[in-house]
Amino acid sequence: NAGVTQTPKFQVLKTGQSMTLQCAQDMNHEYMSWYRQDPGMGLRLIHYSVGAGITDQGEVPNGYNVSRSTTEDFPLRLLSAAPSQTSVYFCASSYSGLAETYNEQFFGPGTRLTVL
Amino acid sequence: SQQGEEDPQALSIQEGENATMNCSYKTSINNLQWYRQNSGRGLVHLILIRSNEREKHSGRLRVTLDTSKKSSSLLITASRAADTASYFCATYKAAGNKLTFGGGTRVLVKP
């Protein structure tokens, strides 16, 4: 199993550009999520999904869109990049997001994004 | 705002010593998890402790949870240089179905 994969690893954008960060998992996990990590801030949840066709907002959703058309893929779209979105982005998945069976999250290697 | 707050923010110890870090949180939780992050890498799950558990062990790791004080501790015994990393606590609440991370503790183990 490849686990959780993210592409690209690095990206530089100009203010106002749009792009999609890709995330895929091959573990048949229902729950997937996107976090951003800024220095000294830990990880903050952007969006998450409890299954195909279902998404919801996290702590910092503004400026980002997600969709979940398949169990495997959970892309994150930046609509109009801003310097404040310079960060490292992590995708994660887990078997289930339900309270009774919530398990560990598996993280991808991250995408380092710089917006000029 | 962050649910979990780790203390200390940074820790430097000699190889073979024990490392202890603490996590405090503000509201009731269903479980608390600890993760490790090596520099430039993604997070790796270490251990999960449920709200009805008080202590859990995994290899050289020992985690405690005190729900009355809303705090948890992670102890790494007989530390090794390879334990050098950032350690994060994360709290899970069923209401909202989200995992909330703290700011992390940076641990440096000197050989």
Side-chain angles (χ1 to χ4, degrees), chain A residues 44-108:
Chain A
R44 291 183 292 170
L45 181 65
I46 304 172
H47 285 286
Y48 66 99
S49 168
V50 299
I54 306 170
T55 63
D56 206 346
Q57 296 182 347
E59 183 184 355
V60 288
N62 292 341
Y64 308 94
N65 272 357
V66 291
S67 60
R68 185 91 179 274
S69 56
T70 67
T71 298
E72 293 78 19
D73 300 298
F74 191 43
L76 177 72
R77 283 183 288 278
L78 279 71
L79 308 174
S80 177
S84 60
Q85 293 179 304
T86 293
S87 188
V88 182
Y89 291 83
F90 288 100
C91 179
S93 73
S94 64
Y95 177 71
S96 172
L98 299 178
E100 301 303 321
T101 57
Y102 193 89
N103 293 315
E104 63 180 282
Q105 292 209 77
F106 292 83
F107 281 81

Side-chain angles (χ1 to χ4, degrees), chain A residues 11-28:
Chain A
Q11 183 70 48
V12 179
L13 293 178
K14 294 181 179 178
T15 297
Q17 287 184 315
S18 62
M19 79 159 295
T20 299
L21 307 185
Q22 301 292 344
C23 174
Q25 52 88 12
D26 61 358
M27 297 173 282
N28 202 31

